[in-house]
């Protein structure tokens, strides 16, 4: 259930909150696309480089990685809701968002695979 809630929160942030915020900032659809692309590329780079190393070496256990991802998602959402909406804030939380996407989307599958009989 904890994995499902985090994934749901991530989907709501990406599909509802970010488009509404970008509309409020007067961003064009292509600017929102650029932001989402940066988010995806950053997450992909971390998922191909940093996360496999940390997870394989057990320097970052799976459950701790999931908690880190959920924490980054919570900080991203809180930052966007508490600070005045500006492009600067949106770009400032991009690193948190990339960590959240990479971990929230990949770690639940790892945990389920490890728990399977």
């Amino acid at each position: 259930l904890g994995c499902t809630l985090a994934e749901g929160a991530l989907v709501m942030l990406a599909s509802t909150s970010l488009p509404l915020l970008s509309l409020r900032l007067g961003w064009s659809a292509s600017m929102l696309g650029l932001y989402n692309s940066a988010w995806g590329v950053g997450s992909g780079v971390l998922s191909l480089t940093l996360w496999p190393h940390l997870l394989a070496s057990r320097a970052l256990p799976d459950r701790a990685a999931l908690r880190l991802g959920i924490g980054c998602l919570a900080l991203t959402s809180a930052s966007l809701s508490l600070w005045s909406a500006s492009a600067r804030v949106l770009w400032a939380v991009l690193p948190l968002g990339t960590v959240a996407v990479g971990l929230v989307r990949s770690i639940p599958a790892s945990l389920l695979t490890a728990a399977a009989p």
Side-chain angles (χ1 to χ4, degrees):
L1 180 61
C3 300
T4 306
L5 291 175
E7 179 67 25
L10 186 60
V11 168
M12 287 189 301
L13 176 67
S15 67
T16 305
S17 300
L18 289 178
L20 289 174
L21 182 57
S22 69
L23 183 66
R24 195 164 115 191
L25 294 173
W27 280 12
S28 64
S30 61
M31 188 64 178
L32 177 59
L34 173 71
Y35 185 85
N36 284 332
S37 295
W39 200 356
V41 168
S43 175
V45 168
L46 289 175
S47 293
L48 288 172
T49 58
L50 184 61
W51 302 140
H53 172 69
L54 290 177
L55 293 168
S57 68
R58 305 305 280 163
L60 183 63
D62 289 346
R63 290 179 195 269
L66 182 58
R67 286 187 200 109
L68 175 64
I70 292 170
C72 287
L73 177 60
L75 283 172
T76 300
S77 298
S79 298
L80 292 175
S81 65
L82 295 175
W83 291 334
S84 62
S86 70
R88 183 177 298 138
V89 171
L90 200 55
W91 286 105
V93 299
L94 182 68
L96 290 172
T98 60
V99 170
V101 168
L103 294 177
V104 169
R105 291 254 163 102
S106 61
I107 297 300
S110 172
L111 290 172
L112 290 174
T113 301

